[in-house]
Amino acid sequence: FLKHMMNLELEMMVPDPDDDPWKKGAVTFLAFVAFGAVPLLSFIAFSNVEGIGQDGLFPVCCVFTATAIFALGAVKGRFAQSNMIVSGAHMLLNGSL
């Protein structure tokens, strides 16, 4: 009865016994670290470049961050078997708000 109610009423699927929450958690953590490091790494990489200055550094970091957010959405779209461009644009729109 409980499985039926979860599926029918709440539209929640019963987890597979093969699902490994540690693996999913590790993948989420690594994605967070990798994509979350992009703004900091772009700031470090371009802070000593001649001619950019402090006023030009912020837009450069924003472009790199936007590219990383779009790439994260595209990767999500590939795994979700949806359009990668639409998924990347959706993630970029959500991330820029």
Side-chain angles (χ1 to χ4, degrees):
F1 175 75
L2 185 60
K3 290 181 184 179
H4 174 72
M5 291 305 289
M6 279 183 61
N7 192 5
L8 186 65
E9 293 283 328
L10 301 176
E11 297 179 3
M12 294 175 58
M13 298 299 295
V14 178
D16 291 332
D18 296 335
D19 284 346
D20 185 13
W22 288 101
K23 179 181 176 185
K24 290 182 179 185
V27 168
T28 302
F29 176 73
L30 291 175
F32 179 78
V33 168
F35 286 97
V38 170
L40 180 62
L41 292 176
S42 63
F43 179 81
I44 292 170
F46 290 101
S47 62
N48 293 329
V49 174
E50 296 288 330
I52 290 181
Q54 292 297 329
D55 293 333
L57 188 58
F58 181 70
V60 169
C61 293
C62 287
V63 168
F64 275 91
T65 303
T67 304
I69 291 172
F70 181 84
L72 180 63
V75 169
K76 179 191 73 112
R78 184 165 195 286
F79 282 108
Q81 297 176 348
S82 64
N83 189 339
M84 292 174 60
I85 302 296
V86 172
S87 181
H90 189 256
M91 181 76 77
L92 180 60
L93 179 67
N94 283 336
S96 63
L97 294 178

